[in-house]
């Protein structure tokens, strides 16, 4: 087993090979960590990218039979996943779409088999995967299907601010129909449970955002709050969950409400995330709740124009590694 009771083993995908995923993984690996880091990706690609970035690092073959040990700068355990086609920084190729998904499949397998304590994913290019003929909505949906998980929750966090999403990668026009009582009941239940079990927050307080301006203005600006959202919130309060009634999103993040909130539930992707990202883009982490494994990720895209330039910022990936390590340690002591 790669994992131990003392040192977590954190699996890192390198993501889209033409983007900054390989860069930020190498930059993070150039620092010491209390967890063991194991990268998944093409050895030649990573060697070339390290050379371009001026990072001196040894890529070592990973062995799951050796005990995990804290990561030391200068070396990086690697499971070599060969590219399907040669890769030029900044230029995506449909031929490498399955290479990106092969990393994910391997990482999921390592974590579900117990050889990895947590999975941290670098950014991928969803469009090129779909253009290759592989239907793909995003990491969150892919992980749910791969682990046969019925309800997963996408939550982004930056320090004490946590924002979960009722819907993820949907066109705005499709959001109202997607907001149903069963959906909200499942999302809020998973959010509550994982705040307790993953994050160690006893009796977490969840502030729920309304869908419409002013949370519907008593039905004058929309009825979803009255007919769908509020009844679920009331039902869950009856089950001893600290869940608010739907709040107007434009004032839900004021200091007084933040002070009594452990996590927010936003109804759609761009409702709560702009607030969080504006407060600290390079420190924000994406956490997938509800899975049988720990998964964190960066909160940014592939930034193709920055690949191999040395101008990428590894802050979000490093925050994701820190979060994954903390959650793995919390899980080990639960």
């Amino acid at each position: 087993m790669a994992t131990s009771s003392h040192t977590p083993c954190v699996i890192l995908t390198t993501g889209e090979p033409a983007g900054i995923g390989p860069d930020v993984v190498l930059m993070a690996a150039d620092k010491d960590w209390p967890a063991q880091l194991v990268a998944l990706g093409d050895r030649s690609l990573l060697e070339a990218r390290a050379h371009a970035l001026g990072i001196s690092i040894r890529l070592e073959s990973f062995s799951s039979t050796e005990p995990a040990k804290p990561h030391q700068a200068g070396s990086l355990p690697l499971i070599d996943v060969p590219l399907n086609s040669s890769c030029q920084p900044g230029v995506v190729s449909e031929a490498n779409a399955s290479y990106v998904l092969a990393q994910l499949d391997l990482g999921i397998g390592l974590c579900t088999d117990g050889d990895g304590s947590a999975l941290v994913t670098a950014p991928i290019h969803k469009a090129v995967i779909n253009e290759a003929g592989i239907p793909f909505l995003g990491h969150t949906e892919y992980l749910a299907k791969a682990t046969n998980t019925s309800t997963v929750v996408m939550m982004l966090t930056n320090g004490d601010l946590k924002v979960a999403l009722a819907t993820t990668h949907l066109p705005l026009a499709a959001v109202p129909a997607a907001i149903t009582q069963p959906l909200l009941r499942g999302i809020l239940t998973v959010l509550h449970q994982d705040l307790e079990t993953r994050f160690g927050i006893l009796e977490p307080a969840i502030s729920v955002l309304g869908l419409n301006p002013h949370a519907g203005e008593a039905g004058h600006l929309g009825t979803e709050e009255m007919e769908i959202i509020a009844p679920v919130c009331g039902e869950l309060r009856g089950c001893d969950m600290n869940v608010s009634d739907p709040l107007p999103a434009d004032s839900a993040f004021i200091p007084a409400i933040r002070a009594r909130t452990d996590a927010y539930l936003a109804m759609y992707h761009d409702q709560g995330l702009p607030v969080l990202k504006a407060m600290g883009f390079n420190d924000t982490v994406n956490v997938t709740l509800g899975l049988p494994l720990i998964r964190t990720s960066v909160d940014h895209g592939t930034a193709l124009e920055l690949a191999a330039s040395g101008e990428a910022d590894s802050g979000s990936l490093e925050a994701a590694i820190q979060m994954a390590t903390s959650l793995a340690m919390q899980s080990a002591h639960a």
Side-chain angles (χ1 to χ4, degrees), residues 75-135:
S75 65
L76 177 61
L78 171 71
I79 299 179
D80 187 17
V81 181
L83 282 165
N84 296 329
S85 178
S86 60
C87 176
Q88 179 181 343
V91 181
V92 296
S93 169
E94 295 176 13
N96 284 320
S98 61
Y99 160 80
V100 173
L101 298 182
Q103 298 174 46
L104 269 179
D105 292 338
L106 179 56
I108 292 167
L110 288 166
C111 290
T112 55
D113 290 345
D115 290 326
S117 308
L119 177 65
V120 178
T121 56
I124 58 179
H125 197 287
K126 291 190 282 288
V128 76
I129 296 174
N130 282 283
E131 288 164 5
I134 306 170

Side-chain angles (χ1 to χ4, degrees), residues 225-316:
E225 288 77 13
M226 298 171 60
E227 297 175 355
I228 298 171
I229 304 173
V232 172
C233 294
E235 173 190 330
L236 295 180
R237 282 196 298 275
C239 298
D240 295 326
M241 293 188 197
N242 188 352
V243 178
S244 78
D245 277 327
L247 303 172
D250 64 347
S251 58
F253 293 93
I254 63 173
I257 297 178
R258 282 196 60 193
R260 63 174 188 258
T261 299
D262 291 307
Y264 290 87
L265 179 65
M267 292 298 109
Y268 55 92
H269 188 278
D270 285 9
Q271 185 181 52
L273 298 193
V275 176
L276 187 142
K277 293 188 178 185
M279 295 180 63
F281 184 72
N282 290 325
D283 298 320
T284 300
V285 179
N286 181 357
V287 186
T288 306
L289 307 180
L291 293 172
L293 56 92
I294 295 167
R295 181 261 173 164
T296 68
S297 180
V298 297
D299 73 335
H300 57 73
T302 53
L304 298 172
E305 70 281 3
L306 298 181
S309 70
E311 297 179 9
D313 190 316
S314 61
S316 184

Side-chain angles (χ1 to χ4, degrees), residues 120-281:
V120 178
T121 56
I124 58 179
H125 197 287
K126 291 190 282 288
V128 76
I129 296 174
N130 282 283
E131 288 164 5
I134 306 170
F136 187 84
L137 290 174
H139 273 116
T140 303
E141 296 84 357
Y142 190 88
L143 286 160
K145 183 176 180 180
T147 59
N148 196 29
T149 304
S150 59
T151 302
V152 294
V153 179
M154 179 178 175
M155 185 180 81
L156 280 84
T157 176
N158 181 339
D160 292 333
L161 181 57
K162 298 176 176 64
V163 179
L165 302 178
T167 61
T168 53
H169 304 113
L170 284 180
L172 190 57
V175 169
I179 302 295
T180 65
Q181 289 193 5
L183 174 84
L184 294 178
R185 190 178 297 114
I187 294 284
L188 283 165
T189 299
V190 168
L191 178 58
H192 174 87
Q193 290 175 345
D194 273 24
L195 288 172
E196 284 195 327
T197 59
R198 294 275 195 214
F199 290 86
I201 301 173
L202 298 179
E203 300 180 359
I206 301 171
S207 290
V208 178
L209 305 186
L211 174 65
N212 299 293
H214 299 183
E217 195 75 72
H220 295 288
L221 295 178
T223 60
E224 286 86 357
E225 288 77 13
M226 298 171 60
E227 297 175 355
I228 298 171
I229 304 173
V232 172
C233 294
E235 173 190 330
L236 295 180
R237 282 196 298 275
C239 298
D240 295 326
M241 293 188 197
N242 188 352
V243 178
S244 78
D245 277 327
L247 303 172
D250 64 347
S251 58
F253 293 93
I254 63 173
I257 297 178
R258 282 196 60 193
R260 63 174 188 258
T261 299
D262 291 307
Y264 290 87
L265 179 65
M267 292 298 109
Y268 55 92
H269 188 278
D270 285 9
Q271 185 181 52
L273 298 193
V275 176
L276 187 142
K277 293 188 178 185
M279 295 180 63
F281 184 72

